[in-house]
PDB file of all heavy atoms in Angstrom:
ATOM      1  N   GLY O 220      20.307  -0.613  16.751  1.00  0.00           N
ATOM      2  CA  GLY O 220      18.873  -0.696  16.956  1.00  0.00           C
ATOM      3  C   GLY O 220      18.015  -0.085  15.878  1.00  0.00           C
ATOM      4  O   GLY O 220      16.810   0.124  16.076  1.00  0.00           O
ATOM      5  N   LEU O 221      18.594   0.189  14.699  1.00  0.00           N
ATOM      6  CA  LEU O 221      17.842   0.838  13.617  1.00  0.00           C
ATOM      7  C   LEU O 221      16.514   0.142  13.339  1.00  0.00           C
ATOM      8  O   LEU O 221      15.452   0.782  13.309  1.00  0.00           O
ATOM      9  CB  LEU O 221      18.683   0.863  12.337  1.00  0.00           C
ATOM     10  CG  LEU O 221      17.951   1.260  11.050  1.00  0.00           C
ATOM     11  CD1 LEU O 221      17.580   2.726  11.084  1.00  0.00           C
ATOM     12  CD2 LEU O 221      18.782   0.928   9.823  1.00  0.00           C
ATOM     13  N   ILE O 222      16.545  -1.155  13.132  1.00  0.00           N
ATOM     14  CA  ILE O 222      15.355  -1.875  12.679  1.00  0.00           C
ATOM     15  C   ILE O 222      14.297  -1.938  13.774  1.00  0.00           C
ATOM     16  O   ILE O 222      13.116  -1.632  13.547  1.00  0.00           O
ATOM     17  CB  ILE O 222      15.734  -3.293  12.211  1.00  0.00           C
ATOM     18  CG1 ILE O 222      16.778  -3.231  11.084  1.00  0.00           C
ATOM     19  CG2 ILE O 222      14.486  -4.050  11.772  1.00  0.00           C
ATOM     20  CD1 ILE O 222      16.323  -2.524   9.841  1.00  0.00           C
ATOM     21  N   THR O 223      14.711  -2.313  14.972  1.00  0.00           N
ATOM     22  CA  THR O 223      13.745  -2.496  16.053  1.00  0.00           C
ATOM     23  C   THR O 223      13.278  -1.163  16.627  1.00  0.00           C
ATOM     24  O   THR O 223      12.094  -1.010  16.955  1.00  0.00           O
ATOM     25  CB  THR O 223      14.369  -3.350  17.165  1.00  0.00           C
ATOM     26  OG1 THR O 223      15.616  -2.757  17.588  1.00  0.00           O
ATOM     27  CG2 THR O 223      14.644  -4.763  16.662  1.00  0.00           C
ATOM     28  N   ARG O 224      14.176  -0.214  16.766  1.00  0.00           N
ATOM     29  CA  ARG O 224      13.809   1.074  17.370  1.00  0.00           C
ATOM     30  C   ARG O 224      12.728   1.777  16.570  1.00  0.00           C
ATOM     31  O   ARG O 224      11.806   2.380  17.130  1.00  0.00           O
ATOM     32  CB  ARG O 224      15.045   1.959  17.483  1.00  0.00           C
ATOM     33  CG  ARG O 224      14.757   3.362  18.009  1.00  0.00           C
ATOM     34  CD  ARG O 224      16.025   4.137  18.247  1.00  0.00           C
ATOM     35  NE  ARG O 224      15.772   5.493  18.681  1.00  0.00           N
ATOM     36  CZ  ARG O 224      16.719   6.371  19.017  1.00  0.00           C
ATOM     37  NH1 ARG O 224      17.988   6.001  18.986  1.00  0.00           N
ATOM     38  NH2 ARG O 224      16.410   7.600  19.392  1.00  0.00           N
ATOM     39  N   PHE O 225      12.832   1.697  15.227  1.00  0.00           N
ATOM     40  CA  PHE O 225      11.888   2.409  14.382  1.00  0.00           C
ATOM     41  C   PHE O 225      10.810   1.492  13.802  1.00  0.00           C
ATOM     42  O   PHE O 225       9.985   1.928  13.007  1.00  0.00           O
ATOM     43  CB  PHE O 225      12.633   3.148  13.262  1.00  0.00           C
ATOM     44  CG  PHE O 225      13.581   4.195  13.788  1.00  0.00           C
ATOM     45  CD1 PHE O 225      14.927   3.926  13.931  1.00  0.00           C
ATOM     46  CD2 PHE O 225      13.104   5.441  14.185  1.00  0.00           C
ATOM     47  CE1 PHE O 225      15.797   4.880  14.443  1.00  0.00           C
ATOM     48  CE2 PHE O 225      13.963   6.407  14.688  1.00  0.00           C
ATOM     49  CZ  PHE O 225      15.309   6.121  14.826  1.00  0.00           C
ATOM     50  N   GLY O 226      10.841   0.235  14.185  1.00  0.00           N
ATOM     51  CA  GLY O 226       9.789  -0.699  13.792  1.00  0.00           C
ATOM     52  C   GLY O 226       9.730  -0.983  12.307  1.00  0.00           C
ATOM     53  O   GLY O 226       8.653  -1.264  11.761  1.00  0.00           O
ATOM     54  N   ILE O 227      10.869  -0.966  11.634  1.00  0.00           N
ATOM     55  CA  ILE O 227      10.902  -1.143  10.178  1.00  0.00           C
ATOM     56  C   ILE O 227      10.499  -2.564   9.812  1.00  0.00           C
ATOM     57  O   ILE O 227      11.021  -3.541  10.367  1.00  0.00           O
ATOM     58  CB  ILE O 227      12.300  -0.809   9.632  1.00  0.00           C
ATOM     59  CG1 ILE O 227      12.603   0.674   9.868  1.00  0.00           C
ATOM     60  CG2 ILE O 227      12.409  -1.161   8.150  1.00  0.00           C
ATOM     61  CD1 ILE O 227      14.035   1.071   9.583  1.00  0.00           C
ATOM     62  N   GLN O 228       9.576  -2.688   8.866  1.00  0.00           N
ATOM     63  CA  GLN O 228       9.069  -3.990   8.434  1.00  0.00           C
ATOM     64  C   GLN O 228       9.613  -4.418   7.076  1.00  0.00           C
ATOM     65  O   GLN O 228       9.761  -5.608   6.806  1.00  0.00           O
ATOM     66  CB  GLN O 228       7.540  -3.943   8.383  1.00  0.00           C
ATOM     67  CG  GLN O 228       6.902  -3.653   9.733  1.00  0.00           C
ATOM     68  CD  GLN O 228       5.442  -3.269   9.616  1.00  0.00           C
ATOM     69  OE1 GLN O 228       4.920  -3.034   8.533  1.00  0.00           O
ATOM     70  NE2 GLN O 228       4.757  -3.188  10.760  1.00  0.00           N
ATOM     71  N   GLU O 229       9.873  -3.463   6.216  1.00  0.00           N
ATOM     72  CA  GLU O 229      10.489  -3.710   4.906  1.00  0.00           C
ATOM     73  C   GLU O 229      11.502  -2.600   4.677  1.00  0.00           C
ATOM     74  O   GLU O 229      11.322  -1.477   5.155  1.00  0.00           O
ATOM     75  CB  GLU O 229       9.450  -3.677   3.778  1.00  0.00           C
ATOM     76  CG  GLU O 229       8.360  -4.711   3.887  1.00  0.00           C
ATOM     77  CD  GLU O 229       7.291  -4.542   2.805  1.00  0.00           C
ATOM     78  OE1 GLU O 229       7.557  -3.857   1.786  1.00  0.00           O
ATOM     79  OE2 GLU O 229       6.180  -5.073   2.987  1.00  0.00           O
ATOM     80  N   VAL O 230      12.562  -2.894   3.896  1.00  0.00           N
ATOM     81  CA  VAL O 230      13.587  -1.879   3.672  1.00  0.00           C
ATOM     82  C   VAL O 230      14.060  -1.954   2.220  1.00  0.00           C
ATOM     83  O   VAL O 230      14.227  -3.045   1.656  1.00  0.00           O
ATOM     84  CB  VAL O 230      14.752  -2.054   4.664  1.00  0.00           C
ATOM     85  CG1 VAL O 230      15.456  -3.386   4.490  1.00  0.00           C
ATOM     86  CG2 VAL O 230      15.725  -0.893   4.581  1.00  0.00           C
TER      87      VAL O 230
END
Side-chain angles (χ1 to χ4, degrees):
L221 169 70
I222 302 299
T223 54
R224 176 174 177 177
F225 298 98
I227 296 170
Q228 299 166 350
E229 299 175 18
V230 62

